[in-house]
Amino acid sequence: MHMDLDSFYASAEELRHPEAKGKPVVICVFSGRTEESGAIATSNYLARKSGIRAGMPISQAKRLAPENTIFFSRDMEYYREISERVMDLLDDECDVIEQASIDEAYMDVTIKSNGLWESAETIAIWIKNKILEREGLTCSIGIGPNKLIAKMASRVKKPDGLTIITETQAGQFIENSKAKDIHGIGTKSLSILESMKIQSAKDLAQANPLELEERLGKNKARLFIEKAKGIDESPVEPRVAKQLSRIGTLKEDTRDIESIIAKLQDLLPELEGRLVKKDVKFKTVSIILINSKHEMQTRSKSISDTSDISAALSIARELLEKYLSEERDVMVRRIGLSVSNLTYSKEQKSLGDF
DNA sequence: CGACGTGTAAC
DNA sequence: CCTTTTACACGTCG
């Protein structure tokens, strides 16, 4: 089973700003560069009617938006609280849960449903009702014989949908899908597939594996063909973070190390908070840079295990100095810090601890 | 084989 | 005009 909260951030804002209900709602991530600069995190269905989409620059959304549109600044802390409660609720209704993002989860209900589609449907309806009762939110749920089909099924009817694709129906369902609707196929892969005249999942399922491997690499090619046949054996399993990062935008593009470090220092407390909450040690420190051409670059260094965030900062400075001496003609637009190679010390008991 | 950097993808 | 966070594959280097 796959559950997706409908336009989650927008719905969450409508909960605490009832006057926004019935109006287009847009959730913005302001970068702080200028008054209005930034991107759209999400929008409600009314705003989507005007062509406003996630990822779009705020300026563009403002041009598209009708007069009565309400713009909110994204508030992760608030959304996380709600998300945690929803996930806890789901946790009680399934055998295993895999939280895929703040607003999405896969649930294995094989045992809870006794392997019966009818019972799985009953569980889904119960979940939808509970989420609505407790949180005032609607969601869309897909049920299928595996994660891939469940995920694709959850997209069939939204918002507030419930779609069941049984094992018997799965073949038909996937055959009638387009390649681009298969989870994991993004713009780059799609254009490669299109250049090979592959548009439907059916085309992909019948594609020449060797030719596909040449163009996509062995791993991707095999995975895509499996998916195009509706096959997905990946288990529903709890996700454990392998990396924690935080990134921010500089006031203006710069090469000045002190102003870049200053921005890193702003980001540090939040990262530290998450580190402490999870009680993890890290071994690898990376800086993430987005240059003025919007290209992402990373530099990393491994050290001996530590939980000391200030150690991370001094490694970051070192990496940054090296980066600036290597990359003589780039300006830095955005800077971030990531820690990986994590070891968990504390026993994690509930989902809420993650 | 581990470390490192990039590309792709999803949210 | 251009956000944030995470995962994984792959190539390269030593």
Side-chain angles (χ1 to χ4, degrees), chain A residues 333-345:
Chain A
R333 178 187 175 91
R334 307 180 56 216
I335 183 72
L337 188 66
S338 164
V339 294
S340 54
N341 238 318
L342 307 179
T343 51
Y344 289 76
S345 8

Side-chain angles (χ1 to χ4, degrees), chain A residues 9-37:
Chain A
Y9 299 169
S11 306
E13 293 300 344
E14 287 174 26
L15 287 176
R16 59 177 178 178
H17 301 279
E19 69 278 10
K21 270 192 286 187
K23 294 183 183 156
V25 170
V26 179
I27 309 299
C28 303
V29 184
F30 292 101
S31 66
R33 187 152 262 236
T34 68
E35 189 70 23
E36 297 285 69
S37 67

Side-chain angles (χ1 to χ4, degrees), chain A residues 84 87-88 91 99 277 348-354:
Chain A
E84 265 191 35
M87 296 297 162
D88 284 347
D91 194 29
Q99 190 177 343
K277 184 167 176 195
Q348 300 287 336
K349 42 180 194 301
S350 82
L351 202 75
D353 295 347
F354 280 110

